[in-house]
Amino acid sequence: MMAGNRLRFGVDLVTFFHPGFWGVGSHDAIVDHARAQPRVFWDKILDSVQASGVTGVELTFSPFNWQDAIKTYGSIDAFAGELARRGLTLCSGFFAELEAAGDFADPEAQRALIDKAERYADFLKSCGSDIMVIGAPLRQTLGAQPVQFHDFDRAKTIADFLNRLGGTLYAKGVRLALHTEAHSMFAAARDVDLLMLLTDPAYVHMCPDTAHIIVAGSDPVQLVDRHHERMIIAHWKDAVGPMPADTPIDKHIHERHQPYFCGFGLGRVDWPAWIRLLRDRAYEGWAILELDAAPDPVRDIANGLTLVRQALLPIYR
């Protein structure tokens, strides 16, 4: 089989969250535009994905989420039809609810999360996808009081919930993939090792994000090699280096990340080593060429895809 068939390329819709792409001045203005003209908004996104050359779409937070897609096109089938008409596939959906969930030990909060995830899983399955990518809860800012240690007991509480969630999704025909979000409890090497140890590999998989692992101060190639059998999808992204240890972790953390992300091939990710790892471990599946809020996403994704095809796929073959 051709290497290009074993690796399939997609994009997370967060890539289109740059005000410059929409000709507006702020992220809030993008949301306003999406609400005012949802069909124009979504058609532009899907047309842009098609024009970039990738074939997969990963949905994410509003205004790029699954509820927005249904509301815009009228039904799940209509949205699936819009993808198919452009030769696109829904490869996965990002579930961002855990980050803001608060107390994980609270049974009511856990029930609410599982209910939301079940409805999302039904949507994904209806659109032909079987992967839900999930962000872990955020860590605490270094030195914040009262201190909340991410120790074995806290990790086990989270792992127990993830196991249950993974089992619930499996019954729906969807696989859970934990995303290595920088400054969450699943990004730095030790934290990933801990949660991978405590979760059941039959029900909890991983979605490594190369850039976020670097921003968290770890090596994506070494880290993923230790857990390669758990990887069912991956975000391919580049970063210039780790962020300071005392970075404030709050609602603005994602904006703080953005200056550390860079164009594909311009940062610290050792892409030849990465593709050799995927080749040697016989990884097949989706590769999400994700860029956080790119000013010119169609060009940037296309350039990334060109680099992959010219410099990396010959190694993978």
Side-chain angles (χ1 to χ4, degrees):
M1 189 186 288
M2 291 285 289
N5 295 332
R6 298 202 307 269
L7 286 178
R8 302 176 70 191
F9 295 95
V11 65
D12 185 289
L13 296 190
V14 71
T15 299
F16 300 95
F17 202 48
H18 193 289
F21 177 66
W22 299 100
V24 297
S26 69
H27 290 131
D28 288 343
I30 298 174
V31 176
D32 292 342
H33 170 59
R35 288 182 181 146
Q37 295 181 285
R39 183 67 189 241
V40 172
F41 179 80
W42 275 87
D43 282 351
K44 180 174 179 176
I45 288 173
L46 298 184
D47 289 344
S48 297
V49 173
Q50 181 186 22
S52 75
V54 298
T55 58
V57 171
E58 180 174 277
L59 298 179
T60 183
F61 55 82
S62 187
F64 312 99
N65 71 12
W66 65 279
Q67 295 100 326
D68 297 322
I70 295 173
K71 198 171 172 184
T72 298
Y73 292 112
S75 69
I76 295 174
D77 287 346
F79 174 61
E82 292 292 330
L83 291 173
R85 190 164 64 79
R86 294 171 174 87
L88 302 175
T89 300
L90 185 67
C91 50
S92 46
F94 192 90
F95 184 74
E97 309 284 345
L98 269 70
E99 211 175 88
D103 183 10
F104 254 78
D106 178 40
E108 201 169 309
Q110 292 191 0
R111 272 195 301 273
L113 284 166
I114 287 175
D115 179 58
K116 285 179 183 175
E118 281 190 294
R119 284 184 279 125
Y120 197 0
D122 289 338
F123 165 84
L124 290 172
K125 200 66 184 165
S126 297
C127 286
S129 172
D130 71 342
I131 297 175
M132 188 183 296
V133 179
I134 293 183
L138 289 174
R139 268 183 161 274
Q140 187 185 45
T141 302
L142 186 65
Q145 297 292 332
V147 178
Q148 192 174 57
F149 297 111
H150 183 32
D151 55 11
F152 183 88
D153 290 337
R154 181 156 173 74
K156 190 168 186 322
T157 299
I158 295 164
D160 289 346
F161 172 73
L162 290 169
N163 282 335
R164 281 179 36 235
L165 181 58
T168 301
L169 294 180
Y170 182 83
K172 297 270 187 184
V174 172
R175 296 175 291 167
L176 180 159
L178 202 53
H179 178 258
T180 57
E181 181 82 26
H183 297 100
S184 77
M185 295 175 182
F186 189 75
R190 173 268 190 186
D191 292 353
V192 172
D193 290 342
L194 184 57
L195 274 178
M196 287 286 92
L197 175 70
L198 293 174
T199 50
D200 188 332
Y203 297 103
V204 180
H205 311 279
M206 79 181 289
C207 171
D209 184 306
T210 48
H212 278 278
I213 292 169
I214 283 176
V215 167
S218 297
D219 181 322
V221 175
Q222 290 181 5
L223 179 57
V224 174
D225 196 19
R226 287 203 293 279
H227 305 288
H228 64 90
E229 72 283 356
R230 309 282 288 270
M231 174 171 56
I232 59 170
I233 189 170
H235 286 183
W236 295 25
K237 190 161 64 177
D238 222 332
V240 296
M243 290 179 71
D246 60 353
T247 296
I249 303 171
D250 56 24
K251 65 180 181 179
H252 301 295
I253 187 61
H254 302 297
E255 291 98 88
R256 291 194 182 97
H257 287 161
Q258 287 180 8
Y260 288 82
F261 299 138
C262 62
F264 201 79
L266 301 176
R268 294 272 193 93
V269 177
D270 185 342
W271 292 110
W274 174 254
I275 202 74
R276 283 195 298 271
L277 168 65
L278 301 192
R279 177 197 67 196
D280 295 347
R281 299 306 190 183
Y283 173 78
E284 299 181 7
W286 284 104
I288 306 302
L289 301 181
E290 182 197 356
L291 304 157
D292 271 35
D296 190 350
V298 176
R299 185 200 65 192
D300 291 347
I301 297 163
N303 287 349
L305 202 52
T306 298
L307 187 148
V308 168
R309 285 176 173 151
Q310 291 181 353
L312 301 183
L313 287 187
I315 299 171
Y316 183 81
R317 292 188 184 103

